[in-house]
Amino acid sequence: MFKRPALLTEKNFHYCPGCHHGIMHRLLAEVLEEFNPEETIGVSSVGCSVFIYDYIDIDWVAAAHGRAPAVATGVKRVKPDRLVFTYQGDGDLAAIGTGEIVHAAARGEKITAIFINNAVYGMTGGQMAPTTLTGQKTTTTPEGRNPAHQGYPVKMVEMLSVLDGVAYAARVALNTPKRILEAKKALRKAFKVQRANLGFSIIEVLSACPTNWGVSPVEALKWVDEKMIAYYPLGEYKTPQEGVE
Amino acid sequence: MKVLMKGNEAFAEAAVRAGCRYFFGYPITPQSEVPHYLAQRLPEVGGVFLQAESEVAAINMVYGAAAAGARVMTSSSGPGISLMQEGISYLAGAELPAVIVNIMRGGPGLGNIAPTQADYFQAVKGGGHGDYRVIVLAPANVAEIFTLMEKAFDLADKYRMPVMVLGDGILGQVMEPVELPPLKEINPPPKPWAATGKIERDDKTRRIINSLYIVPEENEKHLEQQFAKYRQIEESEPLHENFLVEDAQIILVSFGTMARIAKSVVLKVRERGIKAGLIRPITLWPFPRKAFTAANIPVAKKILTVEMSGGQMVEDVRLAVNGRIDVEFFGRTGGMVPESKEVLEKVLALAREVE
């Protein structure tokens, strides 16, 4: 029966209409219920999802901007039998926190990173992110991102998947019901990889930001297809050879 | 058992004996023997040593481990501590206990690796952003490293806040015979506030470790609770050593290894009939202000603060003295250690003024 996941608190999401954080929070709550949420510690970060600890009823440690993988490392080393994950946006994970995510991945830290990529800085007012697409207009690229001046968008899961410490790396999207189910499957697999102690796992979630893209929520779904998936192909970039189906 | 031990090794061994089982750090001179020692020692006692990719990551690993209820430490030196200040502010904001050892080196910038005390401001006046304090302890010899490291972990847990232990390149590198204190059973206080997973709690309530108080009224309330804690620490925890101060007309004030040189100067000028004494602050925050009341230094006419800096602690001495007595300063910077001869000359000059 379709019901509200028990792990979601009563608190209403603060997200903008059409934002995909809400979908992802729900998926996360559903998947964690399949594991033991009492054994789970989330590490939240800075950005639009800064209040995630208000919505998902587990233990949380709130990290500074970009530092969630280092904080999660500390938590996991003290509590190696807990399920530890980070929930980070693209500014957090791919800009200020690049060092922490690369090295947590390289160490094969037994944590899971949930990486929400909406190609823009959301909370601070729609500035360019490392993931902002070529030509995309933001408050700090008013003429559109120009690679000659601002460089190229960063493909994080492709980059991380070549590191030996990474056991599972996948990119998913949430703009169709089918893809939401695939995202759920990937999330489940990432946690299973962690449970099996196989190494670092990451899922990148292409996510809509209608407010900062300047489009309607429905147009944003199309924007994910036409713009984002074209540059950030979906799929599993690395899967463990054994141990997890 | 008496052993010959390097200061940096003592910081490491003392931490293990204080029940610390987690170390996260990044190499920097002149504190390298701390991680060298712990890389071997912590696995022996079932702990974890992890070399982070940066000081920024190291202090955030400390934050995570402290949030999960561990006794945890890091060590670094000036430039590394600067990078850690963001994390130290977060530790303070989230009320997490941790110990940070700073073996100071010459700055600003890359400076050098010679001993200084020029991180005093950074240690006692904040360093990171926001309205917070850390407890700062300053050992002067290898034996005292053992007592103060144990105290550092206890105070961190007692008040749920970061504690910094300040040494300098001399203290880190000096080898001294030390009577190892007997091994004690360490029982850190229970940490029911830690984010360890609901499974560890009978009532299945959850824990959120956080420093975000978006509503100004709530942030102020949180800070006022911290300030009340700080006032209690200022009341209960100041520590200092008095050396021949009761009849002293000239009081030297120094901390850490500098105080050892100052102490030798006090003895030398006493041989010449000059009544000098030494106050050695052991806690730099809370600053031992009461040591400077009229009742405690009854005949003092001059105070001379001697530091390996351009003059940092002297400001706290002046605040404590509050204008009652002249406070003068002598210091060397850049990694130059004041020689006892030059301090002695300064004291002799003051003695002529006093007469």
Side-chain angles (χ1 to χ4, degrees):
Chain A
M1 201 180 86
F2 190 78
K3 61 179 172 54
R4 187 189 182 86
L7 273 188
L8 280 185
T9 65
E10 295 294 313
K11 192 150 185 156
N12 291 331
F13 293 146
H14 67 281
Y15 301 110
C16 302
C19 169
H20 285 177
H21 272 307
I23 300 173
M24 200 54 208
H25 284 13
R26 184 190 170 99
L27 288 188
L28 181 58
E30 286 177 357
V31 171
L32 286 178
E33 281 176 14
E34 298 171 13
F35 294 82
N36 185 354
E38 290 186 3
E39 293 182 0
T40 303
I41 303 162
V43 179
S44 62
S45 56
V46 178
C48 287
S49 65
V50 72
F51 294 117
I52 188 173
Y53 47 73
D54 281 342
Y55 306 131
I56 298 178
D57 186 23
I58 56 170
D59 275 14
W60 285 96
V61 181
H65 201 190
R67 318 298 177 222
V71 172
T73 297
V75 173
K76 185 75 180 189
R77 295 295 178 129
V78 173
K79 296 284 173 191
D81 58 346
R82 300 290 189 269
L83 205 60
V84 178
F85 70 92
T86 69
Y87 191 99
Q88 305 175 259
D90 42 24
D92 193 273
L93 182 138
I96 196 168
T98 324
E100 284 78 9
I101 197 69
V102 167
H103 288 279
R107 283 193 303 272
E109 214 61 60
K110 276 81 178 170
I111 59 174
T112 299
I114 299 166
F115 168 36
I116 309 297
N117 178 3
N118 59 15
V120 76
Y121 280 65
M123 182 179 257
T124 46
Q127 297 89 350
M128 183 189 76
T131 47
T132 293
L133 295 166
T134 299
Q136 186 182 339
K137 287 186 178 176
T138 71
T139 51
T140 51
T141 53
E143 304 299 322
R145 182 178 189 161
N146 175 3
H149 184 55
Q150 289 107 354
Y152 295 91
V154 180
K155 295 176 171 173
M156 285 307 294
V157 287
E158 285 89 334
M159 272 172 61
L160 294 174
S161 62
V162 301
L163 296 172
D164 291 341
V166 175
Y168 183 66
R171 183 181 288 124
V172 299
L174 302 171
N175 63 335
T176 69
K178 180 167 173 280
R179 287 192 178 129
I180 290 172
L181 291 176
E182 284 164 359
K184 186 174 177 180
K185 220 169 127 188
L187 187 60
R188 187 186 291 126
K189 193 159 171 181
F191 283 130
K192 279 188 177 171
V193 163
Q194 183 183 160
R195 263 280 168 261
N197 266 327
L198 298 176
F200 180 85
S201 53
I202 179 166
I203 70 162
E204 175 172 342
V205 184
L206 300 184
S207 184
C209 183
T211 301
N212 286 304
W213 295 350
V215 297
S216 73
V218 174
E219 284 166 341
L221 300 178
K222 225 170 95 188
W223 204 91
V224 170
D225 261 337
E226 291 171 0
K227 303 280 176 66
M228 288 195 85
I229 295 176
Y231 190 79
Y232 298 115
L234 303 182
E236 290 182 322
Y237 285 82
K238 193 165 192 183
T239 52
Q241 305 222 307
E242 52 188 277
V244 176
E245 76 274 14
Chain B
M1 187 180 68
K2 217 162 197 178
V3 296
L4 191 62
M5 195 170 236
K6 209 172 195 179
N8 280 338
E9 293 170 348
F11 281 109
E13 178 61 28
V16 172
R17 284 164 179 253
C20 174
R21 291 294 176 269
Y22 297 89
F23 178 95
F24 304 93
Y26 187 78
I28 182 169
T29 310
Q31 59 79 57
S32 299
E33 293 85 357
V34 181
H36 295 176
Y37 190 96
L38 289 171
Q40 174 146 354
R41 187 78 170 95
L42 277 173
E44 285 174 5
V45 292
V48 172
F49 168 91
L50 191 62
Q51 183 172 318
E53 65 271 26
S54 68
E55 287 91 347
V56 175
I59 194 69
N60 283 284
M61 291 174 186
V62 166
Y63 176 97
R71 274 203 159 176
V72 55
M73 76 173 282
T74 186
S75 66
S76 192
S77 184
I81 297 289
S82 297
L83 286 173
M84 290 182 180
Q85 290 294 351
E86 174 200 62
I88 296 171
S89 169
Y90 277 75
L91 284 163
E95 290 190 274
L96 291 175
V99 172
I100 300 132
V101 172
N102 180 5
I103 306 299
M104 294 176 278
R105 57 183 268 174
L110 202 46
N112 59 27
I113 58 168
T116 76
Q117 297 180 320
D119 297 353
Y120 179 92
F121 282 158
Q122 191 194 40
V124 308
K125 307 291 184 196
H129 57 284
D131 233 339
Y132 75 95
R133 293 287 191 178
V134 300
I135 295 173
V136 184
L137 306 174
N141 57 60
V142 174
E144 199 179 34
I145 289 170
F146 279 91
T147 44
L148 291 188
M149 282 298 282
E150 184 183 338
K151 191 166 191 67
F153 282 100
D154 286 345
L155 289 172
D157 279 345
K158 181 177 176 185
Y159 294 108
R160 280 184 61 184
M161 64 190 281
V163 175
M164 187 174 283
V165 185
L166 264 192
D168 59 62
I170 301 173
L171 186 63
Q173 296 299 321
V174 73
M175 289 190 88
E176 289 185 309
V178 57
E179 186 76 42
L180 283 185
L183 281 173
K184 282 194 294 193
E185 176 105 5
I186 297 289
N187 293 307
K191 298 178 178 176
W193 49 264
T196 49
K198 283 186 191 178
I199 197 165
E200 293 200 10
R201 291 177 286 274
D202 291 339
D203 62 0
K204 304 301 178 198
T205 54
R206 73 199 186 111
R207 298 291 177 265
I208 299 171
I209 303 294
N210 194 10
S211 61
L212 178 64
Y213 295 87
I214 203 97
V215 180
E217 286 82 357
E218 287 173 14
N219 199 16
E220 187 177 56
K221 196 175 148 210
H222 167 66
L223 288 171
E224 273 170 1
Q225 282 166 357
Q226 303 307 300
F227 300 154
K229 181 165 87 176
Y230 298 156
R231 282 193 295 275
Q232 190 196 334
I233 294 168
E234 286 185 300
E235 192 54 43
S236 320
E237 307 296 349
L239 280 178
H240 72 281
E241 179 196 350
N242 271 353
F243 182 66
L244 304 178
V245 296
E246 276 178 19
D247 65 341
Q249 293 189 313
I250 298 169
I251 308 263
L252 277 67
V253 188
S254 279
F255 70 96
T257 47
M258 189 61 237
R260 297 168 72 164
I261 297 166
K263 197 181 260 187
S264 74
V265 170
V266 166
L267 289 172
K268 278 181 190 153
V269 299
R270 284 231 167 214
E271 283 170 13
R272 303 187 186 202
I274 294 165
K275 288 187 173 160
L278 169 74
I279 295 175
R280 175 173 74 93
I282 297 171
T283 54
L284 301 181
W285 193 88
F287 193 75
R289 277 183 297 200
K290 285 179 185 161
F292 297 89
T293 58
N296 288 326
I297 43 173
V299 297
K301 291 182 176 160
K302 286 273 186 189
I303 290 179
L304 176 66
T305 302
V306 187
E307 301 175 61
M308 291 190 268
S309 76
Q312 300 194 12
M313 182 178 67
V314 62
E315 295 188 3
D316 284 332
V317 175
R318 289 202 173 108
L319 280 174
V321 170
N322 200 17
R324 284 185 299 107
I325 308 170
D326 268 357
V327 178
E328 301 216 9
F329 169 74
F330 181 77
R332 296 292 302 272
T333 63
M336 295 300 295
V337 180
E339 286 180 36
S340 63
K341 197 175 65 178
E342 50 189 343
V343 181
L344 184 117
E345 276 163 16
K346 184 81 189 169
V347 177
L348 293 180
L350 289 181
R352 286 191 290 274
E353 285 179 35
V354 166
E355 275 162 11

PDB file of all heavy atoms in Angstrom, chain A residues 70-71 74, chain B residues 22-25 57-68 70 72-74 91 96-100:
ATOM      1  N   ALA A  70      34.696  14.170   5.045  1.00  0.00           N
ATOM      2  CA  ALA A  70      35.672  14.075   6.139  1.00  0.00           C
ATOM      3  C   ALA A  70      34.948  13.790   7.455  1.00  0.00           C
ATOM      4  O   ALA A  70      35.374  12.952   8.250  1.00  0.00           O
ATOM      5  CB  ALA A  70      36.495  15.357   6.239  1.00  0.00           C
ATOM      6  N   VAL A  71      33.823  14.483   7.676  1.00  0.00           N
ATOM      7  CA  VAL A  71      33.046  14.258   8.895  1.00  0.00           C
ATOM      8  C   VAL A  71      32.543  12.812   8.920  1.00  0.00           C
ATOM      9  O   VAL A  71      32.647  12.114   9.932  1.00  0.00           O
ATOM     10  CB  VAL A  71      31.878  15.259   8.986  1.00  0.00           C
ATOM     11  CG1 VAL A  71      30.949  14.905  10.134  1.00  0.00           C
ATOM     12  CG2 VAL A  71      32.405  16.687   9.147  1.00  0.00           C
ATOM     13  N   GLY A  74      35.205  10.436   9.961  1.00  0.00           N
ATOM     14  CA  GLY A  74      35.376  10.391  11.416  1.00  0.00           C
ATOM     15  C   GLY A  74      34.306   9.546  12.084  1.00  0.00           C
ATOM     16  O   GLY A  74      34.594   8.721  12.957  1.00  0.00           O
TER      17      GLY A  74
ATOM     18  N   TYR B  22      41.590   7.928  18.812  1.00  0.00           N
ATOM     19  CA  TYR B  22      41.463   8.364  17.406  1.00  0.00           C
ATOM     20  C   TYR B  22      42.328   9.595  17.174  1.00  0.00           C
ATOM     21  O   TYR B  22      42.287  10.550  17.953  1.00  0.00           O
ATOM     22  CB  TYR B  22      39.999   8.675  17.068  1.00  0.00           C
ATOM     23  CG  TYR B  22      39.143   7.437  17.183  1.00  0.00           C
ATOM     24  CD1 TYR B  22      38.540   7.107  18.390  1.00  0.00           C
ATOM     25  CD2 TYR B  22      38.991   6.572  16.103  1.00  0.00           C
ATOM     26  CE1 TYR B  22      37.806   5.946  18.527  1.00  0.00           C
ATOM     27  CE2 TYR B  22      38.258   5.416  16.224  1.00  0.00           C
ATOM     28  CZ  TYR B  22      37.670   5.099  17.435  1.00  0.00           C
ATOM     29  OH  TYR B  22      36.943   3.945  17.561  1.00  0.00           O
ATOM     30  N   PHE B  23      43.105   9.526  16.106  1.00  0.00           N
ATOM     31  CA  PHE B  23      43.921  10.671  15.707  1.00  0.00           C
ATOM     32  C   PHE B  23      43.752  10.888  14.216  1.00  0.00           C
ATOM     33  O   PHE B  23      43.891   9.963  13.417  1.00  0.00           O
ATOM     34  CB  PHE B  23      45.402  10.425  16.018  1.00  0.00           C
ATOM     35  CG  PHE B  23      46.298  11.563  15.574  1.00  0.00           C
ATOM     36  CD1 PHE B  23      46.667  12.554  16.461  1.00  0.00           C
ATOM     37  CD2 PHE B  23      46.758  11.645  14.262  1.00  0.00           C
ATOM     38  CE1 PHE B  23      47.484  13.615  16.059  1.00  0.00           C
ATOM     39  CE2 PHE B  23      47.563  12.702  13.846  1.00  0.00           C
ATOM     40  CZ  PHE B  23      47.929  13.682  14.751  1.00  0.00           C
ATOM     41  N   PHE B  24      43.455  12.111  13.838  1.00  0.00           N
ATOM     42  CA  PHE B  24      43.390  12.503  12.431  1.00  0.00           C
ATOM     43  C   PHE B  24      44.277  13.736  12.280  1.00  0.00           C
ATOM     44  O   PHE B  24      44.116  14.694  13.026  1.00  0.00           O
ATOM     45  CB  PHE B  24      41.958  12.847  12.024  1.00  0.00           C
ATOM     46  CG  PHE B  24      40.975  11.735  12.296  1.00  0.00           C
ATOM     47  CD1 PHE B  24      40.258  11.697  13.484  1.00  0.00           C
ATOM     48  CD2 PHE B  24      40.784  10.718  11.366  1.00  0.00           C
ATOM     49  CE1 PHE B  24      39.361  10.673  13.744  1.00  0.00           C
ATOM     50  CE2 PHE B  24      39.880   9.693  11.612  1.00  0.00           C
ATOM     51  CZ  PHE B  24      39.170   9.664  12.799  1.00  0.00           C
ATOM     52  N   GLY B  25      45.218  13.688  11.345  1.00  0.00           N
ATOM     53  CA  GLY B  25      46.123  14.829  11.229  1.00  0.00           C
ATOM     54  C   GLY B  25      46.789  14.894   9.879  1.00  0.00           C
ATOM     55  O   GLY B  25      46.574  14.037   9.004  1.00  0.00           O
ATOM     56  N   ALA B  57      40.513  18.683   6.234  1.00  0.00           N
ATOM     57  CA  ALA B  57      39.866  17.375   6.367  1.00  0.00           C
ATOM     58  C   ALA B  57      40.125  16.802   7.750  1.00  0.00           C
ATOM     59  O   ALA B  57      39.213  16.250   8.383  1.00  0.00           O
ATOM     60  CB  ALA B  57      40.374  16.425   5.285  1.00  0.00           C
ATOM     61  N   ALA B  58      41.361  16.940   8.242  1.00  0.00           N
ATOM     62  CA  ALA B  58      41.713  16.339   9.536  1.00  0.00           C
ATOM     63  C   ALA B  58      40.793  16.837  10.647  1.00  0.00           C
ATOM     64  O   ALA B  58      40.243  16.042  11.410  1.00  0.00           O
ATOM     65  CB  ALA B  58      43.170  16.656   9.877  1.00  0.00           C
ATOM     66  N   ILE B  59      40.601  18.145  10.726  1.00  0.00           N
ATOM     67  CA  ILE B  59      39.801  18.680  11.832  1.00  0.00           C
ATOM     68  C   ILE B  59      38.334  18.271  11.665  1.00  0.00           C
ATOM     69  O   ILE B  59      37.610  18.083  12.647  1.00  0.00           O
ATOM     70  CB  ILE B  59      39.954  20.211  11.983  1.00  0.00           C
ATOM     71  CG1 ILE B  59      39.407  20.712  13.325  1.00  0.00           C
ATOM     72  CG2 ILE B  59      39.287  20.958  10.848  1.00  0.00           C
ATOM     73  CD1 ILE B  59      40.191  20.314  14.535  1.00  0.00           C
ATOM     74  N   ASN B  60      37.902  18.078  10.416  1.00  0.00           N
ATOM     75  CA  ASN B  60      36.514  17.644  10.212  1.00  0.00           C
ATOM     76  C   ASN B  60      36.333  16.158  10.491  1.00  0.00           C
ATOM     77  O   ASN B  60      35.245  15.727  10.874  1.00  0.00           O
ATOM     78  CB  ASN B  60      36.042  18.044   8.822  1.00  0.00           C
ATOM     79  CG  ASN B  60      35.700  19.525   8.770  1.00  0.00           C
ATOM     80  OD1 ASN B  60      34.655  19.938   9.254  1.00  0.00           O
ATOM     81  ND2 ASN B  60      36.610  20.330   8.235  1.00  0.00           N
ATOM     82  N   MET B  61      37.387  15.370  10.320  1.00  0.00           N
ATOM     83  CA  MET B  61      37.341  13.981  10.781  1.00  0.00           C
ATOM     84  C   MET B  61      37.259  13.951  12.308  1.00  0.00           C
ATOM     85  O   MET B  61      36.511  13.157  12.893  1.00  0.00           O
ATOM     86  CB  MET B  61      38.587  13.232  10.300  1.00  0.00           C
ATOM     87  CG  MET B  61      38.618  13.019   8.795  1.00  0.00           C
ATOM     88  SD  MET B  61      40.200  12.302   8.284  1.00  0.00           S
ATOM     89  CE  MET B  61      40.009  12.360   6.493  1.00  0.00           C
ATOM     90  N   VAL B  62      38.015  14.861  12.936  1.00  0.00           N
ATOM     91  CA  VAL B  62      37.939  14.999  14.389  1.00  0.00           C
ATOM     92  C   VAL B  62      36.504  15.341  14.794  1.00  0.00           C
ATOM     93  O   VAL B  62      35.946  14.755  15.731  1.00  0.00           O
ATOM     94  CB  VAL B  62      38.924  16.088  14.888  1.00  0.00           C
ATOM     95  CG1 VAL B  62      38.640  16.487  16.329  1.00  0.00           C
ATOM     96  CG2 VAL B  62      40.369  15.613  14.728  1.00  0.00           C
ATOM     97  N   TYR B  63      35.906  16.254  14.049  1.00  0.00           N
ATOM     98  CA  TYR B  63      34.510  16.668  14.323  1.00  0.00           C
ATOM     99  C   TYR B  63      33.562  15.459  14.240  1.00  0.00           C
ATOM    100  O   TYR B  63      32.717  15.253  15.116  1.00  0.00           O
ATOM    101  CB  TYR B  63      34.133  17.758  13.312  1.00  0.00           C
ATOM    102  CG  TYR B  63      32.710  18.269  13.348  1.00  0.00           C
ATOM    103  CD1 TYR B  63      32.385  19.437  14.025  1.00  0.00           C
ATOM    104  CD2 TYR B  63      31.699  17.605  12.668  1.00  0.00           C
ATOM    105  CE1 TYR B  63      31.082  19.927  14.028  1.00  0.00           C
ATOM    106  CE2 TYR B  63      30.390  18.082  12.670  1.00  0.00           C
ATOM    107  CZ  TYR B  63      30.080  19.242  13.352  1.00  0.00           C
ATOM    108  OH  TYR B  63      28.791  19.714  13.345  1.00  0.00           O
ATOM    109  N   GLY B  64      33.733  14.657  13.188  1.00  0.00           N
ATOM    110  CA  GLY B  64      32.876  13.478  13.021  1.00  0.00           C
ATOM    111  C   GLY B  64      33.081  12.466  14.136  1.00  0.00           C
ATOM    112  O   GLY B  64      32.111  11.921  14.687  1.00  0.00           O
ATOM    113  N   ALA B  65      34.343  12.215  14.486  1.00  0.00           N
ATOM    114  CA  ALA B  65      34.637  11.237  15.536  1.00  0.00           C
ATOM    115  C   ALA B  65      34.126  11.727  16.886  1.00  0.00           C
ATOM    116  O   ALA B  65      33.572  10.944  17.671  1.00  0.00           O
ATOM    117  CB  ALA B  65      36.149  10.981  15.593  1.00  0.00           C
ATOM    118  N   ALA B  66      34.283  13.023  17.154  1.00  0.00           N
ATOM    119  CA  ALA B  66      33.773  13.585  18.410  1.00  0.00           C
ATOM    120  C   ALA B  66      32.251  13.495  18.445  1.00  0.00           C
ATOM    121  O   ALA B  66      31.663  13.163  19.480  1.00  0.00           O
ATOM    122  CB  ALA B  66      34.226  15.036  18.564  1.00  0.00           C
ATOM    123  N   ALA B  67      31.619  13.747  17.298  1.00  0.00           N
ATOM    124  CA  ALA B  67      30.153  13.664  17.220  1.00  0.00           C
ATOM    125  C   ALA B  67      29.672  12.250  17.511  1.00  0.00           C
ATOM    126  O   ALA B  67      28.583  12.048  18.045  1.00  0.00           O
ATOM    127  CB  ALA B  67      29.673  14.116  15.848  1.00  0.00           C
ATOM    128  N   ALA B  68      30.503  11.263  17.147  1.00  0.00           N
ATOM    129  CA  ALA B  68      30.141   9.860  17.389  1.00  0.00           C
ATOM    130  C   ALA B  68      30.584   9.400  18.774  1.00  0.00           C
ATOM    131  O   ALA B  68      30.526   8.209  19.082  1.00  0.00           O
ATOM    132  CB  ALA B  68      30.758   8.980  16.300  1.00  0.00           C
ATOM    133  N   ALA B  70      33.667   9.739  20.459  1.00  0.00           N
ATOM    134  CA  ALA B  70      35.022   9.252  20.740  1.00  0.00           C
ATOM    135  C   ALA B  70      35.863  10.295  21.455  1.00  0.00           C
ATOM    136  O   ALA B  70      35.601  11.494  21.353  1.00  0.00           O
ATOM    137  CB  ALA B  70      35.707   8.858  19.441  1.00  0.00           C
ATOM    138  N   VAL B  72      39.107  12.027  20.900  1.00  0.00           N
ATOM    139  CA  VAL B  72      39.795  12.197  19.629  1.00  0.00           C
ATOM    140  C   VAL B  72      40.680  13.437  19.690  1.00  0.00           C
ATOM    141  O   VAL B  72      40.387  14.389  20.411  1.00  0.00           O
ATOM    142  CB  VAL B  72      38.759  12.285  18.467  1.00  0.00           C
ATOM    143  CG1 VAL B  72      37.750  13.394  18.719  1.00  0.00           C
ATOM    144  CG2 VAL B  72      39.434  12.467  17.116  1.00  0.00           C
ATOM    145  N   MET B  73      41.779  13.380  18.939  1.00  0.00           N
ATOM    146  CA  MET B  73      42.676  14.537  18.901  1.00  0.00           C
ATOM    147  C   MET B  73      43.271  14.734  17.518  1.00  0.00           C
ATOM    148  O   MET B  73      43.226  13.850  16.659  1.00  0.00           O
ATOM    149  CB  MET B  73      43.819  14.374  19.911  1.00  0.00           C
ATOM    150  CG  MET B  73      44.899  13.408  19.469  1.00  0.00           C
ATOM    151  SD  MET B  73      46.346  13.372  20.575  1.00  0.00           S
ATOM    152  CE  MET B  73      47.214  14.858  20.082  1.00  0.00           C
ATOM    153  N   THR B  74      43.860  15.921  17.335  1.00  0.00           N
ATOM    154  CA  THR B  74      44.713  16.179  16.191  1.00  0.00           C
ATOM    155  C   THR B  74      45.877  17.002  16.696  1.00  0.00           C
ATOM    156  O   THR B  74      45.855  17.521  17.814  1.00  0.00           O
ATOM    157  CB  THR B  74      43.972  16.916  15.059  1.00  0.00           C
ATOM    158  OG1 THR B  74      44.845  17.004  13.923  1.00  0.00           O
ATOM    159  CG2 THR B  74      43.568  18.325  15.469  1.00  0.00           C
ATOM    160  N   LEU B  91      33.313  22.921  15.875  1.00  0.00           N
ATOM    161  CA  LEU B  91      33.360  22.098  17.098  1.00  0.00           C
ATOM    162  C   LEU B  91      32.780  22.889  18.264  1.00  0.00           C
ATOM    163  O   LEU B  91      31.979  22.372  19.047  1.00  0.00           O
ATOM    164  CB  LEU B  91      34.808  21.709  17.431  1.00  0.00           C
ATOM    165  CG  LEU B  91      35.458  20.610  16.590  1.00  0.00           C
ATOM    166  CD1 LEU B  91      36.979  20.635  16.770  1.00  0.00           C
ATOM    167  CD2 LEU B  91      34.925  19.236  16.940  1.00  0.00           C
ATOM    168  N   LEU B  96      31.297  20.140  20.746  1.00  0.00           N
ATOM    169  CA  LEU B  96      31.943  18.834  20.662  1.00  0.00           C
ATOM    170  C   LEU B  96      33.306  18.863  21.352  1.00  0.00           C
ATOM    171  O   LEU B  96      34.083  19.789  21.158  1.00  0.00           O
ATOM    172  CB  LEU B  96      32.113  18.427  19.194  1.00  0.00           C
ATOM    173  CG  LEU B  96      30.817  18.098  18.459  1.00  0.00           C
ATOM    174  CD1 LEU B  96      31.091  17.834  16.983  1.00  0.00           C
ATOM    175  CD2 LEU B  96      30.110  16.907  19.092  1.00  0.00           C
ATOM    176  N   PRO B  97      33.603  17.821  22.138  1.00  0.00           N
ATOM    177  CA  PRO B  97      34.890  17.753  22.821  1.00  0.00           C
ATOM    178  C   PRO B  97      35.974  17.191  21.916  1.00  0.00           C
ATOM    179  O   PRO B  97      35.766  16.168  21.253  1.00  0.00           O
ATOM    180  CB  PRO B  97      34.615  16.789  23.988  1.00  0.00           C
ATOM    181  CG  PRO B  97      33.459  15.952  23.538  1.00  0.00           C
ATOM    182  CD  PRO B  97      32.686  16.730  22.524  1.00  0.00           C
ATOM    183  N   ALA B  98      37.127  17.854  21.882  1.00  0.00           N
ATOM    184  CA  ALA B  98      38.265  17.356  21.121  1.00  0.00           C
ATOM    185  C   ALA B  98      39.502  18.074  21.622  1.00  0.00           C
ATOM    186  O   ALA B  98      39.406  19.156  22.194  1.00  0.00           O
ATOM    187  CB  ALA B  98      38.071  17.620  19.627  1.00  0.00           C
ATOM    188  N   VAL B  99      40.637  17.443  21.404  1.00  0.00           N
ATOM    189  CA  VAL B  99      41.899  18.063  21.817  1.00  0.00           C
ATOM    190  C   VAL B  99      42.735  18.379  20.582  1.00  0.00           C
ATOM    191  O   VAL B  99      42.873  17.538  19.684  1.00  0.00           O
ATOM    192  CB  VAL B  99      42.676  17.154  22.795  1.00  0.00           C
ATOM    193  CG1 VAL B  99      44.074  17.716  23.067  1.00  0.00           C
ATOM    194  CG2 VAL B  99      41.901  17.016  24.106  1.00  0.00           C
ATOM    195  N   ILE B 100      43.242  19.604  20.541  1.00  0.00           N
ATOM    196  CA  ILE B 100      44.050  20.074  19.412  1.00  0.00           C
ATOM    197  C   ILE B 100      45.399  20.517  19.973  1.00  0.00           C
ATOM    198  O   ILE B 100      45.457  21.426  20.799  1.00  0.00           O
ATOM    199  CB  ILE B 100      43.363  21.263  18.705  1.00  0.00           C
ATOM    200  CG1 ILE B 100      41.989  20.827  18.192  1.00  0.00           C
ATOM    201  CG2 ILE B 100      44.228  21.803  17.575  1.00  0.00           C
ATOM    202  CD1 ILE B 100      40.886  21.782  18.530  1.00  0.00           C
TER     203      ILE B 100
END
